[in-house]
Amino acid sequence: MGVMPKWADVVLVPLISLIIAALLSALLILAIGESPVAALKLMIEGTLLRSSGWGYMLYYTTNFIFTGLAVSVAFHAAMGGLGVALVCLFIPWPHWSFAIIGASLGAAFFGMIWAGLPAYLQAKRGSHIVITTIMFNFIAAGVLNFFLVGALKPKGSMDPATANFPAATHLPTFEDMAGLLGFEKMFRAAPANVSFFLALVACVLVWFLIWRTPLGYEIRAMGKSEPAARYAGIGSVKIIMVAMMISGALSGMMAINTTQGESERLILNFTEGAGFIGIAVALMGRSHPLGVFLAALLFGFLYQGGAELALWTKIPRELIVVIQALVILFTGALTLMVRRPLERLFLSLRRGG
């Protein structure tokens, strides 16, 4: 048993980190002459008290679930959008239900192959995985630009994007689904779509893989202590390759939401920065699928709430990004600043008891 109870590590540390980030954000809002209470009220009203706000929040949440899970398994890389575009543009799907399966497989395959390259460099050559994956992200962006201004751009178009996908590949949005149930006014124009449920399925599958299979045990053992795992006979090359390729498949599948579900074509910058947010989501969610889901919901709220602030207040967009960064900083990189005092507190309580 550790110094601190499990519930305190899972609930108390992220909660206190969030409160510190919220207090600092409130000071920043006060410094520019705005009311933090009014800002919070606007964020809640615009995100949680309107169905369209929920639609946008769940759209962002879908992205963060995929990237958070990807980071939880290993790290991130993104080439899935190209896989989705090729599958949707060049295969005549009869119905969206078939198209989402094909696009998921295409996105996962491209993400898996792309993530496998830095994984191989680390497993066989000892390259630093953080540096190589960042460099591979730049390469991926360059490859994507090459195709969007060349082979995949429609003739006569000046827009660096593919043609619109065929109507049969368009994913039903929450607005479409609510309309079928007789609630036509719900989720109006919100981009949330059926890929949200795909993200939930991914959470369950990752939980089963990591906590209920021998491969998951080997991945966790390698994450806890690589020398101990090697001593137990677990092959580090195999685990690094498999974990990174699963991570790449998950991050690639994020493109289903943004590319097939929202823009319905492949565009530049379709990842919307979700890869880096996924790191914070994984850290805050303690790399557990349930924690990743809850953390993704929080960041979905922050994204949509930030958009409401930018639209209805004089708070500049840059300050909203700073507020989001504060949440990432305190819930990710600075959790030790909260955990260590709590550990000392629980240790003193235990000695006193």
Side-chain angles (χ1 to χ4, degrees), residues 18-51:
L18 269 180
I19 291 172
I20 295 173
L23 289 175
L24 283 176
S25 302
L27 291 176
L28 284 175
I29 293 172
L30 275 174
I32 62 168
E34 294 284 337
S35 166
V37 176
L40 179 62
K41 185 180 176 185
L42 181 61
M43 289 177 73
I44 293 174
E45 285 179 352
T47 307
L48 302 180
L49 302 184
R50 289 191 292 116
S51 62

Side-chain angles (χ1 to χ4, degrees), residues 120-339:
Y120 177 82
L121 291 174
Q122 186 197 20
K124 290 290 188 181
R125 303 294 179 189
S127 303
H128 198 292
I129 195 69
V130 175
I131 295 172
T132 51
T133 48
I134 289 173
M135 293 300 103
F136 268 74
N137 280 345
F138 282 102
I139 298 172
V143 171
L144 185 64
N145 291 350
F146 172 77
F147 282 107
L148 288 183
V149 299
L152 293 178
K153 191 178 72 169
K155 286 184 179 177
S157 172
M158 297 299 289
D159 190 11
T162 66
N164 289 333
F165 297 156
T169 67
H170 295 177
L171 299 181
T173 62
F174 278 24
E175 183 182 8
D176 298 331
M177 290 183 274
L180 292 176
L181 298 174
F183 301 101
E184 290 84 1
K185 294 183 179 179
M186 289 190 70
F187 300 109
R188 278 194 172 176
N193 55 77
V194 293
S195 62
F196 173 72
F197 302 107
L198 192 65
L200 296 184
V201 171
C203 284
V204 176
L205 292 178
V206 168
W207 169 81
F208 184 80
L209 169 71
I210 300 297
W211 274 273
R212 288 293 184 272
T213 66
L215 176 61
Y217 174 78
E218 292 180 347
I219 292 174
R220 283 186 289 137
M222 185 66 70
K224 292 287 184 185
S225 173
E226 185 174 341
R230 283 180 178 168
Y231 186 74
I234 298 173
S236 61
V237 173
K238 169 194 158 188
I239 296 302
I240 291 171
M241 290 293 297
V242 169
M244 277 297 293
M245 292 175 82
I246 294 172
S247 172
L250 286 166
S251 59
M253 288 177 68
M254 188 216 76
I256 302 291
N257 184 41
T258 55
T259 301
Q260 190 181 2
E262 198 267 331
S263 62
E264 297 174 344
R265 59 179 184 154
L266 181 58
I267 58 176
L268 287 175
N269 199 27
F270 71 92
T271 58
E272 301 174 356
F276 288 104
I277 299 295
I279 299 173
V281 168
L283 288 171
M284 190 174 179
R286 298 295 184 268
S287 296
H288 190 286
L290 178 59
V292 166
F293 170 70
L294 295 176
L297 266 180
L298 171 67
F299 279 94
F301 169 78
L302 289 174
Y303 255 59
Q304 175 55 20
E308 294 287 337
L309 291 180
L311 187 61
W312 300 111
T313 69
K314 294 179 181 177
I315 298 175
R317 182 72 192 170
E318 291 75 15
L319 185 59
I320 294 166
V321 175
V322 170
I323 293 171
Q324 292 167 348
L326 280 174
V327 175
I328 294 172
L329 186 67
F330 279 94
T331 58
L334 297 181
T335 51
L336 282 179
M337 193 177 73
V338 175
R339 180 178 286 111

